[in-house]
Amino acid sequence: MNPKVVRAIFRRNFYSYFNNPTGYVFIGLFVILSTFAAFWPHEFFNSNLANLDQLNHWLPYILLIFIPAITMATWADERRQGTDELLLTLPATDADVVLGKYLAAVSVYSVSLLFSFLCNLIVLRLLGNPDIFLIVANYLGYWMVGLAMLATGMVASFFTSNLTVAFILGVLFNAPFVLADWADAITGTPDWSLAIKHWGLADQFRDFGRGVISLDSIVYFIGIAVVMLYLSLLLIGRRHWAGGRDGKSLFGHYLVRALSLALIVVALNLLVETVDAKLGLHYDMTAERVSSLSPETIDLLRKLDTKNRPVVIEAYVSPSVPENYVQTRLTLLSDLREFERLGGNVIQVKIVSAEPDTKEATDAEKQFGIKPQTISAKSRGAIKDDQIFLGLAVTCGLEKVVIPFFDQGMSIEYELIRAVATAAKQKRKRLGILQTDAQLFGGFDMAAMQMGQMNQRPRQPIIDELEKQYEVVQVDPNKPIEKFDVLLAVQPSSLGPAPLNNFIAAVKSGQATAIFEDPMPYMMGIPGTSDEKQQAGPMGQMPGAGQKGDIQPLWDFLGVEMASKKMQEAFGPTPAQTLVVWQNYNPYLKLQGLKLPHEFVFIGRQQPGGKAAFNDNDPITSNLQELWFPFPGAFDKLNKSQFKFVPLISTGVNTGTIAPREIRQLLRSSDFTPLERAENQNATHEQYTLAAHVTGEVKVANQAVDEKKDADKKDTDKKDADKKDSAKKDADAMPKLASSKTRAINVVLVADADLLDGQVFALRSRAEDMDLGIHFDNIVFVLNTLDALAGDDRFVEIRKRRPAHRTLTAIEDKIAKNRDELSEKIADYEKEFAKQKDAKKKAVDTANKKFSDLQEEARGYQQKGEEVPLELRQRVVEAMMTYKAEDQRVKGDMERIDRDAQRAEEVARRDLNSKIRNEQDRYKLLALLIPPIFPLIVAAFVFFNRRAEEREGVAKSRLR
């Protein structure tokens, strides 16, 4: 190979393209098409993502036209002009000619991409703060696609001397690679469709579209380029092997060589894919690493033991989703891609594009029970209901795990790896759930029974969540509690004396336990820590009715107290009440207008004052961002405690306490004003621990002696015979082990039970539907707590990951500003219409007062025993008729005012939607006007410069 010859051919072809203004105009057209594909589709603003997803989809089709236009003249023009013979007589090899022309075509294409990159980046910067590394990865993918298509187009150019035919052949030769993504519509056979799609440009480009540089994709594109360049080399050297009148054709020989090279490239690509699955030969360029899995997930995938049975993931995903779920869909598809890649032959992923009322939707429901979910969708500022699919099923042999729908409340990566691990029959930990009045598995509603109603409590969603990972067992506290990997006790204070003693004995025996104890379970509707046991209703004695046990011995053993001395000193003497903690902190602007009570305690890293809200040294709470505790209590460590007390979650200093009894007295519907006044009287400005981890060791012998002493002491208490008998029986039954043995105490205390309630789960999972923008980590906290206690750390760190995609912040800011203006306008409307209503009411009140005064005057005559004068009776009748007429007229006016108010609000909302659409359309127009400016300016410069050079030295008389 002669570098000088390659350089000379390269310069000749490259300069010939850019010495002509037509080339720049053509580049301008390419830039316009790319920006049009990137920003004009409605899905761009609907997705609200600062990326090039729309261009990623349409670029192969744009290149299907643009690439043949570059390559059509590569050899066809040489033949047309008769310069091909001149090239072939140069002191150069065929490889020099092919390589020089190919590099020239690549350079022309690279310049076009550079213009497109700069223009699209400028537009994205106007709209938001895009991830520059993601955009670079996208354009690197575009360049790799171009390398393959340019080489293919060159092959087409060697077949003809006609430029038009060369262009058409270039389109036809590249079409199979581009249209492979439509294989399912063409073949109708799923297995064949997947195989064909895999070898198409779109499937191989997807990694670059996600910001991932993968070695197997690079090998794929370079492999196509190498094979096509070799074919070009064979075609240009056809004079050597085609044979002639006296020669022998070597067509078969070179055909075998070309096919062998193609097979080598295919085999190399498959080898790299296999090695990539084991070694991870790809790199996520995105700033937030949104397109890669955590090291913990990768480790679990590599350790996956399926006993030679493949894990099949069948995902049913809608092709388009509303803005609220775009990031969820994007993350799901990206994670599935990574699972397929890293799973190798163990994991098979099938992604089905499903929409309601289609065959795919029927199959999803029939096979796995996956149905489309109705969600509230935002479209150009308007709210509407939409049905979408975002679910999947994981099967391995006879095992099946179904995730019907991916809500926003949980990490998708965590959901996937947990489902895969469960389907692969990895050993599950045993989780015991104590049966208390919380009734997590469902049951009779005791509060409803008191009113004579037979309501059934629904099964709480937390149980479904736990059963995806644990072997969940209901624990009957009326019997001695067996050993579990972890025990969950929600509101154990609601237990009777004997069941509570069995539970305390289990904790003392070293059972790892999560205790959720709430002074006021407002959402669950069950007795608080200091409340009386719910009694039976009119139907007679019901389960759960009776006397409550004494939970204080449990607190004494753990060395904690719920109603601390500083709480009681701040509030006053309330010996029978465990106090509720409140905090004046609400990080959500959209919730501040609701005037929620401060007993809805928000915990966040930005809360004012005090130590950190979360203990980042404990895996349970490290990396958590926000939690919500409705009406929580607090725990304090006793000075005499023998155990280690580690706070996990703490409030700030804008705090206080209040008794549950007073809260119930002050709460009236949604009017929290009296509650706010009571809070101001009980501000303490103390930091409270809402959750803590208690660990340590206790000697078994001492434990047995202490229990015996407690039982003896209770024997002397004649006022509580039932409690005495059960406690002594339990203490006597305690085994007396050797004094040298110790038991590890491992307990997590949480001063709230409502965060396990289904309403909290639903609020977090569908927060985006309601446009609240909340991101509670309640579910993550609960699952982390149980995992840490059970010694199962597989998913703790995975669960905390929050890959966030960059959004169109400029559009969001303008929409937020317009919405604020809308809210102010609606508030002004309400004030104006309220004034009109008040004026109408005054007229009615005046007529009513006149009528009442006349009635009172007439009543005075009657009380004196005198006859009411005829004139007064007439005036009373006239006043009554006037009042009724005025009242009827005002009612009509009130209805008219309400209609006017409703119409005014509708007009204001339409104006808002119109402003949003106009803003989006303005950016679309800018996206089309800005890009072609740069190449057209260069084209104009080249045109006038070339024109000036042509006129140089020419007589003026010959100039036109």
Side-chain angles (χ1 to χ4, degrees):
M1 183 178 296
N2 191 336
K4 292 184 179 180
V5 174
V6 173
R7 189 182 307 114
I9 296 174
F10 163 78
R11 292 179 61 182
R12 174 177 176 269
N13 284 265
F14 182 76
Y15 289 152
S16 66
Y17 191 90
F18 286 104
N19 279 335
N20 191 333
T22 306
Y24 293 96
V25 173
F26 197 65
I27 290 176
L29 180 61
F30 169 74
V31 172
I32 290 175
L33 288 176
S34 65
T35 53
F36 183 88
F39 307 117
W40 194 265
H42 174 58
E43 288 78 8
F44 174 74
F45 288 101
N46 183 50
S47 300
N48 189 33
L49 294 177
N51 60 24
L52 297 175
D53 275 358
Q54 303 307 314
L55 180 58
N56 293 344
H57 174 72
W58 291 107
L59 188 75
Y61 304 100
I62 296 175
L63 295 183
L64 191 58
I65 304 300
F66 183 67
I67 293 294
I70 295 177
T71 59
M72 64 183 182
T74 300
W75 194 252
D77 198 42
E78 300 284 359
R79 285 186 174 180
R80 184 177 62 85
Q81 297 180 6
T83 56
D84 56 330
E85 294 293 338
L86 177 63
L87 279 176
L88 295 177
T89 57
L90 290 175
T93 63
D94 294 345
D96 294 336
V97 176
V98 170
L99 185 59
K101 287 184 169 292
Y102 178 68
L103 292 178
V106 170
S107 298
V108 171
Y109 176 65
S110 299
V111 172
S112 305
L113 280 185
L114 181 60
F115 276 111
S116 176
F117 171 78
L118 294 175
C119 295
N120 287 340
L121 185 60
I122 290 172
V123 174
L124 285 176
R125 288 290 295 175
L126 290 174
L127 293 170
N129 181 28
D131 184 351
I132 183 67
F133 299 104
L134 172 63
I135 307 303
V136 169
N138 291 165
Y139 271 87
L140 179 59
Y142 301 158
W143 190 71
M144 298 300 297
V145 172
L147 292 184
M149 296 184 71
L150 285 168
T152 306
M154 280 184 61
V155 173
S157 182
F158 280 104
F159 277 98
T160 180
S161 61
N162 186 290
L163 293 180
T164 303
V165 175
F167 175 81
I168 295 173
L169 289 177
V171 173
L172 293 177
F173 284 13
N174 278 294
F177 297 106
V178 175
L179 300 180
D181 201 43
W182 293 78
D184 49 355
I186 298 173
T187 64
T189 306
D191 293 337
W192 277 100
S193 298
L194 291 174
I196 294 173
K197 279 187 174 183
H198 177 70
W199 294 102
L201 293 177
D203 193 78
Q204 295 292 334
F205 171 79
R206 282 194 178 93
D207 283 341
F208 292 102
R210 299 185 298 118
V212 176
I213 309 301
S214 57
L215 184 60
D216 57 333
S217 295
I218 293 176
V219 169
Y220 169 83
F221 290 117
I222 292 180
I224 291 179
V226 168
V227 172
M228 293 302 173
L229 287 177
Y230 182 72
L231 288 178
S232 298
L233 189 62
L234 294 182
L235 291 173
I236 198 175
R238 184 170 45 185
R239 65 190 185 281
H240 301 304
W241 55 262
R245 202 177 322 172
D246 301 324
K248 182 179 179 181
S249 174
L250 298 177
F251 175 78
H253 170 74
Y254 283 100
L255 177 62
V256 171
R257 289 175 65 173
L259 292 175
S260 299
L261 179 61
L263 289 175
I264 290 173
V265 170
V266 171
L268 179 61
N269 192 258
L270 293 174
L271 176 63
V272 172
E273 285 184 2
T274 304
V275 174
D276 185 22
K278 295 182 178 180
L279 301 181
L281 302 179
H282 58 278
Y283 178 70
D284 184 1
M285 287 187 63
T286 58
E288 287 84 8
R289 299 293 184 267
V290 297
S291 299
S292 56
L293 302 177
S294 65
E296 292 80 8
T297 300
I298 296 174
D299 185 59
L300 287 174
L301 285 174
R302 288 176 177 166
K303 293 179 180 178
L304 204 62
D305 182 14
T306 62
K307 297 179 176 58
N308 298 323
R309 296 171 303 173
V311 175
V312 180
I313 303 176
E314 296 185 62
Y316 293 87
V317 183
S318 292
S320 62
V321 296
E323 177 185 335
N324 340 20
Y325 284 87
V326 167
Q327 293 200 35
T328 304
R329 179 182 181 274
L330 189 61
T331 303
L332 173 60
L333 295 178
S334 178
D335 286 352
L336 287 173
R337 177 80 172 174
E338 287 297 298
F339 270 68
E340 183 179 28
R341 178 207 305 279
L342 297 172
N345 296 327
V346 176
I347 296 180
Q348 301 174 4
V349 177
K350 299 178 182 178
I351 301 176
V352 180
S353 180
E355 293 185 281
D357 302 323
T358 61
K359 179 181 180 298
E360 290 79 9
T362 304
D363 293 341
E365 182 175 359
K366 185 177 181 180
Q367 295 181 33
F368 307 112
I370 298 176
K371 302 178 182 179
Q373 299 291 315
T374 302
I375 54 105
S376 297
K378 292 186 296 184
S379 178
R380 305 192 82 174
I383 303 294
K384 66 176 184 178
D385 287 338
D386 201 355
Q387 286 191 322
I388 63 173
F389 279 93
L390 275 178
L392 58 78
V394 182
T395 56
C396 182
L398 298 178
E399 290 293 319
K400 179 172 65 176
V401 178
V402 177
I403 303 176
F405 191 78
F406 284 92
D407 290 308
Q408 296 107 331
M410 190 62 67
S411 164
I412 291 177
E413 179 183 342
Y414 160 69
E415 293 270 23
L416 285 174
I417 189 60
R418 182 178 61 176
V420 168
T422 301
K425 281 190 173 180
Q426 290 191 1
K427 185 178 179 181
R428 299 194 191 189
K429 298 278 188 177
R430 294 182 73 236
L431 166 65
I433 298 183
L434 198 67
Q435 295 179 359
T436 64
D437 282 4
Q439 296 175 313
L440 299 183
F441 288 91
F444 290 106
D445 189 337
M446 301 301 297
M449 287 186 206
Q450 290 182 329
M451 296 182 291
Q453 302 174 3
M454 291 295 292
N455 287 356
Q456 187 81 8
R457 278 185 179 276
R459 175 186 168 103
Q460 295 288 2
I462 183 63
I463 299 298
D464 298 326
E465 190 71 30
L466 294 174
E467 286 180 340
K468 296 176 183 178
Q469 179 178 345
Y470 289 94
E471 179 187 343
V472 178
V473 180
Q474 296 190 57
V475 178
D476 184 2
N478 292 298
K479 304 174 183 177
I481 298 174
E482 61 176 304
K483 193 73 173 179
F484 293 93
D485 291 301
V486 60
L487 181 65
L488 173 61
V490 182
Q491 209 65 8
S493 64
S494 64
L495 296 172
L500 183 56
N501 285 335
N502 285 336
F503 170 65
I504 294 175
V507 175
K508 290 183 177 181
S509 69
Q511 170 67 63
T513 309
I515 300 175
F516 290 77
E517 182 62 37
D518 197 330
M520 185 177 173
Y522 180 76
M523 292 182 159
M524 284 193 167
I526 58 176
T529 304
S530 303
D531 295 336
E532 296 295 328
K533 185 80 168 174
Q534 288 177 338
Q535 300 298 319
M539 302 297 294
Q541 191 72 11
M542 295 295 175
Q547 187 179 14
K548 287 179 66 174
D550 184 8
I551 201 170
Q552 190 59 41
L554 177 61
W555 303 150
D556 292 341
F557 170 73
L558 295 175
V560 300
E561 60 179 351
M562 281 202 74
S564 67
K565 293 180 180 179
K566 61 182 179 183
M567 291 182 184
Q568 294 177 356
E569 290 171 359
F571 187 78
T574 55
Q577 286 283 295
T578 303
L579 305 180
V580 171
V581 171
W582 58 265
Q583 175 170 239
N584 186 4
Y585 169 68
N586 185 348
Y588 297 108
L589 295 176
K590 293 182 179 180
L591 294 181
Q592 290 176 3
L594 300 179
K595 296 183 179 180
L596 298 175
H598 295 150
E599 285 74 16
F600 281 4
V601 176
F602 296 94
I603 301 294
R605 294 187 178 272
Q606 304 301 322
Q607 65 187 20
K611 57 188 175 183
F614 302 102
N615 184 348
D616 286 330
N617 295 322
D618 194 293
I620 296 176
T621 49
S622 63
N623 295 326
L624 294 184
Q625 300 299 318
E626 293 171 356
L627 290 175
W628 176 40
F629 288 79
F631 298 90
F635 283 103
D636 267 343
K637 179 182 179 181
L638 295 174
N639 293 330
K640 63 179 181 180
S641 174
Q642 60 180 324
F643 301 126
K644 185 179 180 180
F645 181 91
V646 178
L648 297 176
I649 300 170
S650 305
T651 66
V653 294
N654 292 345
T655 58
T657 58
I658 188 170
R661 184 185 297 116
E662 185 171 358
I663 294 176
R664 295 189 182 95
Q665 292 173 352
L666 295 174
L667 283 177
R668 294 292 183 272
S669 183
S670 60
D671 183 12
F672 300 119
T673 304
L675 186 57
E676 293 177 6
R677 288 198 293 265
E679 291 169 354
N680 294 332
Q681 299 173 3
N682 300 294
T684 61
H685 302 291
E686 297 283 350
Q687 287 187 276
Y688 297 108
T689 300
L690 304 188
H693 198 171
V694 178
T695 56
E697 291 184 347
V698 61
K699 291 184 179 180
V700 175
N702 293 342
Q703 179 181 348
V705 171
D706 290 341
E707 291 174 356
K708 188 68 171 65
K709 289 180 180 179
D710 291 342
D712 292 339
K713 182 179 179 181
K714 290 176 182 178
D715 282 346
T716 62
D717 189 358
K718 296 182 180 180
K719 295 180 180 180
D720 194 356
D722 294 335
K723 184 185 297 185
K724 173 196 67 178
D725 293 341
S726 61
K728 189 173 188 310
K729 181 179 180 181
D730 292 337
D732 291 339
M734 196 74 182
K736 306 300 186 291
L737 302 177
S739 60
S740 61
K741 292 186 178 180
T742 60
R743 288 176 182 159
I745 301 302
N746 190 12
V747 176
V748 170
L749 298 170
V750 183
D752 189 49
D754 284 328
L755 55 82
L756 294 170
D757 188 71
Q759 299 176 68
V760 178
F761 271 56
L763 179 63
R764 174 61 188 94
S765 61
R766 293 300 175 90
E768 294 298 331
D769 295 4
M770 296 178 280
D771 196 25
L772 297 178
I774 59 178
H775 303 90
F776 300 146
D777 291 326
N778 289 25
I779 305 173
V780 176
F781 168 65
V782 173
L783 297 177
N784 284 354
T785 298
L786 296 175
D787 284 0
L789 290 171
D792 185 1
D793 60 353
R794 293 176 299 165
F795 308 122
V796 173
E797 293 304 321
I798 301 173
R799 207 178 279 129
K800 300 173 186 175
R801 289 198 73 208
R802 297 176 182 80
H805 301 270
R806 305 286 182 92
T807 59
L808 305 176
T809 53
I811 297 293
E812 290 177 337
D813 293 342
K814 291 185 180 296
I815 291 177
K817 181 179 178 181
N818 289 332
R819 283 179 176 169
D820 291 341
E821 293 177 357
L822 173 63
S823 300
E824 293 177 2
K825 188 178 292 187
I826 290 177
D828 293 338
Y829 286 155
E830 290 177 349
K831 290 179 182 178
E832 179 63 29
F833 290 123
K835 289 180 181 179
Q836 295 181 21
K837 287 184 177 181
D838 290 340
K840 299 296 181 182
K841 289 179 180 178
K842 286 181 180 178
V844 176
D845 293 341
T846 300
N848 185 30
K849 187 175 184 306
K850 183 177 180 180
F851 172 60
S852 300
D853 291 343
L854 291 174
Q855 273 189 321
E856 190 65 29
E857 184 179 350
R859 195 176 294 110
Y861 280 101
Q862 293 174 350
Q863 290 175 352
K864 295 177 182 179
E866 301 177 0
E867 184 179 356
V868 179
L870 178 61
E871 180 185 359
L872 181 58
R873 289 202 299 269
Q874 290 177 345
R875 289 169 59 195
V876 169
V877 172
E878 290 175 357
M880 180 183 68
M881 295 177 65
T882 301
Y883 163 69
K884 289 185 176 181
E886 189 70 21
D887 184 59
Q888 192 67 26
R889 183 181 66 81
V890 168
K891 285 181 179 179
D893 291 341
M894 290 289 191
E895 292 178 358
R896 178 184 58 78
I897 291 173
D898 288 336
R899 288 195 299 270
D900 291 344
Q902 186 175 358
R903 279 195 296 268
E905 289 187 13
E906 290 176 354
V907 170
R909 294 186 188 280
R910 282 198 297 269
D911 290 342
L912 169 64
N913 296 335
S914 177
K915 287 182 179 179
I916 293 173
R917 287 192 295 270
N918 291 338
E919 195 69 29
Q920 294 175 353
D921 293 340
R922 186 171 72 87
Y923 278 109
K924 286 182 178 180
L925 187 60
L926 287 175
L928 290 181
L929 293 179
I930 292 177
I933 292 176
F934 302 102
L936 291 179
I937 289 176
V938 177
F941 174 78
V942 171
F943 173 76
F944 289 111
N945 184 62
R946 184 172 179 179
R947 189 174 179 83
E949 290 178 352
E950 290 174 350
R951 293 189 174 203
E952 186 176 349
V954 180
K956 292 184 179 180
S957 59
R958 298 180 58 187
L959 295 175
R960 295 180 181 178

